[in-house]
């Protein structure tokens, strides 16, 4: 069997690469690799093309940190949104979850970096420019996330802001992408003032 496996270096490299994707284990990687390499070569080429395009054309919004195909994302450019409400999320993928609900009409701030690297000069300028009145933390509940909220609140104390967080009902330690839309919608609309 080892001789056979050694003769399939490219196939094994594909499996190992697929295993690097979060939530994909060995068996799933093998199934996907077989589908792409043997059963559906057209899908494999289409997927490779989409990945290449994504790498070259997708980046982070210069204002909020969301995923964007332009320098500034559509959310930041949308004048119909309520620019006085700023929703803070930990990861760009959290925006997809909140935006799918369609309940939040404000703007975002994606942290996705170490606290010591946060550009508070930029966010303070944004607060002043947009006359932001409320900062909403859309984090899943945990002691670490509570500490992040307190840290940010402390850094922004010079402004007359209302700080709130999404209501409990979001399970501890669970990412927003794993929460059903109804629970997240209720948590966001029943947010609690800090």
């Amino acid at each position: 069997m080892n001789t056979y496996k050694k003769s399939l270096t490219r196939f094994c490299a594909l499996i190992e690469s697929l295993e690097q994707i979060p939530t994909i284990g060995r068996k799933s990687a093998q199934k996907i690799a077989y589908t792409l390499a043997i059963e559906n070569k057209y899908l494999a080429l289409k997927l490779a093309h989409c990945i290449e395009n994504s790498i070259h054309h997708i980046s982070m919004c210069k204002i909020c940190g969301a995923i964007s195909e332009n320098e500034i994302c559509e959310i930041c450019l949308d004048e119909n949104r309520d620019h006085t409400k700023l929703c803070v999320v930990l990861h760009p993928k959290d925006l997809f979850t909140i935006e799918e609900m369609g309940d939040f009409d404000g703007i975002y701030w994606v942290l996705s970096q170490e606290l010591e690297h946060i550009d508070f000069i930029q966010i303070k300028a944004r607060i002043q420019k947009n006359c932001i009145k409320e900062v909403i933390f859309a984090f899943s509940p945990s002691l670490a996330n509570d500490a992040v909220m307190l840290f940010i609140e402390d850094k922004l104390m010079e402004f007359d802001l209302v700080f709130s967080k999404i209501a409990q009902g979001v399970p501890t330690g669970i990412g927003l992408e794993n929460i059903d839309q109804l629970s997240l919608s209720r948590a966001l609309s029943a947010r609690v003032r800090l």
Side-chain angles (χ1 to χ4, degrees), residues 26 43 56 115 155 172 187:
R26 182 91 177 149
L43 174 62
H56 294 298
L115 291 179
K155 292 286 189 180
T172 302

Side-chain angles (χ1 to χ4, degrees), residues 9-187:
T9 55
R10 290 178 183 93
F11 187 72
C12 290
L14 176 59
I15 293 169
E16 288 171 13
S17 294
L18 291 168
E19 279 183 291
Q20 301 301 307
I21 300 171
T23 73
I24 296 187
R26 182 91 177 149
K27 286 185 178 184
S28 294
Q30 286 175 331
K31 288 177 187 176
I32 295 168
Y34 186 80
T35 298
L36 297 174
I38 306 299
E39 293 178 341
N40 196 339
K41 293 177 190 248
Y42 173 76
L43 174 62
L45 293 172
K46 181 180 174 185
L47 184 60
H49 182 69
C50 288
I51 290 170
E52 184 178 8
N53 276 337
S54 295
I55 290 168
H56 294 298
H57 299 288
I58 296 177
S59 61
M60 300 303 193
C61 173
K62 299 267 189 238
I63 295 174
C64 71
I67 296 171
S68 180
E69 292 188 15
N70 301 304
E71 193 172 320
I72 299 173
C73 74
E74 295 301 314
I75 294 172
C76 288
L77 292 173
D78 188 349
E79 292 181 15
N80 293 322
R81 294 187 80 103
D82 184 352
H83 285 252
T84 66
K85 292 189 291 191
L86 180 67
C87 183
V88 185
V89 295
L90 293 174
H91 306 286
K93 62 185 174 184
D94 294 339
L95 267 80
F96 290 112
T97 308
I98 294 171
E99 284 297 302
E100 271 183 24
M101 293 181 323
D103 292 343
F104 183 69
D105 65 343
I107 56 176
Y108 294 94
W109 174 22
V110 181
L111 292 181
S112 70
Q113 56 188 319
E114 299 298 321
L115 291 179
E116 60 268 10
H117 299 302
I118 294 174
D119 185 354
F120 279 102
I121 293 170
Q122 180 192 15
I123 196 64
K124 287 177 181 183
R126 194 169 169 215
I127 288 169
Q128 287 178 322
K129 178 185 176 202
N130 291 311
C131 300
I132 291 173
K133 293 178 174 60
E134 182 181 13
V135 175
I136 305 159
F137 294 100
F139 299 171
S140 58
S142 75
L143 290 175
N145 287 343
D146 285 348
V148 170
M149 288 185 268
L150 290 173
F151 175 76
I152 292 171
E153 186 177 356
D154 184 59
K155 292 286 189 180
L156 301 177
M157 284 305 289
E158 65 195 73
F159 298 100
D160 184 24
L161 296 169
V162 172
F163 292 94
S164 59
K165 64 180 180 177
I166 57 176
Q168 302 301 314
V170 174
T172 302
I174 301 295
L176 290 181
E177 73 273 7
N178 296 318
I179 299 167
D180 66 279
Q181 288 185 356
L182 181 61
S183 296
L184 187 59
S185 176
R186 287 182 179 160

